[in-house]
Amino acid sequence: MNPSPLAGKHIVLGICGGIAAYKSVSLLRLLIKAGAEVQVVITPAGKQFITPVTLSSLSQKPVVSEFFTANTGEWHSHVDLGLWADCMVIAPATASTIGKMAHGVADNMLVTTYLSAKSHVFVAPAMDLDMMAHPSTTANIELLRSYGNTIIEPETGYLASGLTGKGRMEEPENIVKVLEGYFARSLTLAGKRVLVTAGPTYEKIDPVRFIGNYSSGKMGYALAEECAARGAEVTLVSGPVSVTTKDPRVKVVKVESAREMLAECEKAFPASDISIMCAAVADYAPAAVADRKIKREHSEVPVIELVKNPDIAATLGARKKPGQILAGFALETDNEASNAVEKLERKNLDLIVLNSMRDKGAGFGTDTNKITIIDREGSHPYPLKSKTEVAADIVDSIQSRL
Ligand code: CTP
């Protein structure tokens, strides 16, 4: 039998004070059985539900809960733990801890460890249905998602309160599956080069004005980070955006216009195994850029002559060599599927990711996306997910073609 992808991994298991803490014992056993080394960090309330003796016996490590050990004065370093961990999983995550994590309220060891964690964080909420549905909880969960954390959604079912609804912590077996999937994917792109374009392009009219669009760059940045997390060497050619990446493995090349973006893509493309064209490139640029600000008083209503911008995806598509994979995006308002298929052919793409402006939660500026991946075999729709999760789906689909 192959060893579990969790074998030898360092996992910080955070446990909060909720009834579901009893399931954390099974989760801990399964992680240990899979070969992981687990350090339990429990909140003071967590100890009301499950004893540190049970947890330390199973993990073979003293359970960390306080900043200091009372009798020895030994300081527990959350920074060291944050560096040690290959991942952190908080199960169960209560509404209060989720709130503290979302807002940086570092008043216990679990939250300080979370804030120091350099690795990926998984959060498995568990609470009563009304707490789960409260706008405060949903907003805090969205904040955690926006920090790049993976939310392991709770199930709908019988709750400790006797009510039935959404709030049951995901079963330990399934949490282990999520973690195994994460580690199984890591380094699967080691040695591969990836080129991603992101954001809008700005086409100058005069020194203070431009033609642009609403693209936030979030999807392209999430794709670049996903590929880097899998071990690829990533070049991200980005138009002007406010989003940034904290991942030092992503090489960001900032550009402004479509022509600049094309020039940078032409440099990186020949050595790239995978290229993902996620930028919302302006189709037209002013034929001439005024060297001074166009003034209102001195001119008639100006007429700006436009010229066609180069099609970056099509230019690369025409130069594509066997073995190179080129993916594009299509954001459509109508005739979605047929427009996407037409672009797939015209630009010689291997796959195209379709977003419809008619889908709530898809498109510019949102943290979520709803996509359909289309290739020459057919189309595969996905449900609404966070842009980080969508990035993982897209990269999975691309990797299956390598
Ligand atoms: N694209 C590109 N260069 C352009 C225009 C688009 O690289 N000048 C890429 C986008 O990054 C995306 C795909 O082509 O991956 C489709 O972009 P889209 O704007 O939908 O296509 P267009 O060809 O511009 O078609 P239209 O605007 O008519 O829908």
Side-chain angles (χ1 to χ4, degrees):
M1 215 173 78
N2 285 336
S4 160
L6 295 179
K9 295 290 182 245
H10 293 170
I11 298 177
V12 169
L13 171 59
I15 303 178
C16 306
I19 303 282
Y22 79 90
K23 289 195 198 169
S24 309
V25 178
S26 313
L27 176 59
L28 173 57
R29 277 201 65 220
L30 291 171
L31 294 174
I32 297 283
K33 217 171 132 198
E37 218 183 299
V38 184
Q39 174 63 62
V40 175
V41 181
I42 192 164
T43 62
K47 288 193 283 187
Q48 307 290 322
F49 290 86
I50 183 87
T51 85
V53 178
T54 309
L55 300 164
S56 63
S57 310
L58 287 171
S59 65
Q60 298 287 303
K61 284 181 197 295
V63 168
V64 174
S65 181
E66 314 296 335
F67 293 110
F68 298 96
T69 303
N71 53 353
T72 62
E74 185 195 352
W75 182 57
H76 300 293
S77 169
H78 53 90
V79 178
D80 286 352
L81 262 185
L83 291 173
W84 174 83
D86 295 311
C87 85
M88 181 169 185
V89 51
I90 298 153
T94 54
S96 122
T97 293
I98 288 171
K100 288 180 187 180
M101 288 160 62
H103 299 282
V105 182
D107 68 348
N108 66 39
M109 197 57 195
L110 193 154
V111 181
T112 47
T113 305
Y114 165 74
L115 294 175
S116 304
K118 292 262 177 286
S119 60
H120 198 72
V121 180
F122 297 85
V123 182
M127 63 196 79
D128 208 43
L129 73 162
D130 295 316
M131 291 176 82
M132 188 71 212
H134 194 280
S136 150
T137 311
T138 47
N140 286 333
I141 287 179
E142 281 321 305
L143 276 175
L144 295 187
R145 261 194 239 280
S146 74
Y147 305 155
N149 303 157
T150 297
I151 307 298
I152 303 176
E153 287 289 341
E155 295 177 297
T156 299
Y158 181 75
L159 300 166
S161 60
L163 300 171
T164 300
K166 186 174 175 182
R168 270 170 70 94
M169 186 176 93
E170 179 57 281
E171 291 305 323
E173 291 75 9
N174 293 335
I175 295 179
V176 170
K177 276 190 200 140
V178 172
L179 300 184
E180 283 184 332
Y182 170 75
F183 284 111
R185 283 199 296 256
S186 71
L187 301 187
T188 46
L189 284 177
K192 300 284 178 208
R193 291 212 173 100
V194 176
L195 164 66
V196 180
T197 65
T201 62
Y202 283 2
E203 312 297 334
K204 271 199 177 123
I205 298 171
D206 69 13
V208 297
R209 302 184 180 91
F210 59 85
I211 298 173
N213 60 66
Y214 292 122
S215 171
S216 65
K218 285 178 184 167
M219 193 64 243
Y221 276 65
L223 280 162
E225 287 177 352
E226 182 63 31
C227 293
R230 297 183 190 202
E233 205 178 297
V234 183
T235 302
L236 173 62
V237 182
S238 169
V241 290
S242 54
V243 63
T244 56
T245 177
K246 285 198 219 78
D247 194 325
R249 295 167 296 189
V250 177
K251 180 182 161 210
V252 183
V253 182
K254 284 273 195 162
V255 296
E256 214 174 85
S257 67
R259 283 174 196 281
E260 287 167 15
M261 189 173 269
L262 174 64
E264 292 301 332
C265 288
E266 284 179 315
K267 284 187 211 161
F269 182 70
S272 295
D273 301 287
I274 298 168
S275 301
I276 311 174
M277 304 285 101
C278 194
V281 184
D283 289 326
Y284 303 97
V289 182
D291 53 4
R292 289 190 211 169
K293 188 177 172 200
I294 300 170
K295 293 301 242 184
R296 189 150 63 152
E297 309 88 73
H298 305 309
S299 68
E300 303 291 308
V301 174
V303 175
I304 300 171
E305 192 195 339
L306 299 176
V307 290
K308 251 191 172 164
N309 264 334
D311 188 323
I312 302 169
T315 307
L316 304 185
R319 297 181 193 168
K320 196 173 61 172
K321 300 246 162 34
Q324 284 187 305
I325 295 180
L326 181 61
F329 272 73
L331 176 60
E332 305 291 340
T333 54
D334 53 274
N335 295 324
E336 289 89 340
S338 58
N339 283 337
V341 169
E342 182 275 322
K343 284 176 191 170
L344 177 84
E345 293 302 341
R346 175 160 50 91
K347 303 184 189 224
N348 194 24
L349 307 173
D350 297 286
L351 66 147
I352 190 155
V353 181
L354 168 65
N355 306 129
S356 170
M357 286 293 271
R358 285 195 276 189
D359 283 329
K360 207 169 158 269
F364 288 157
T366 61
D367 287 320
T368 52
N369 206 352
K370 190 168 184 307
I371 59 159
T372 302
I373 295 183
I374 300 177
D375 62 14
R376 288 177 182 77
E377 311 296 315
S379 69
H380 184 345
Y382 292 80
L384 183 74
K385 295 186 182 187
S386 73
K387 282 188 173 166
T388 318
E389 291 165 313
V390 170
D393 287 339
I394 294 170
V395 180
D396 280 347
S397 170
I398 292 174
Q399 267 190 276
S400 69
R401 299 155 209 268
L402 278 175

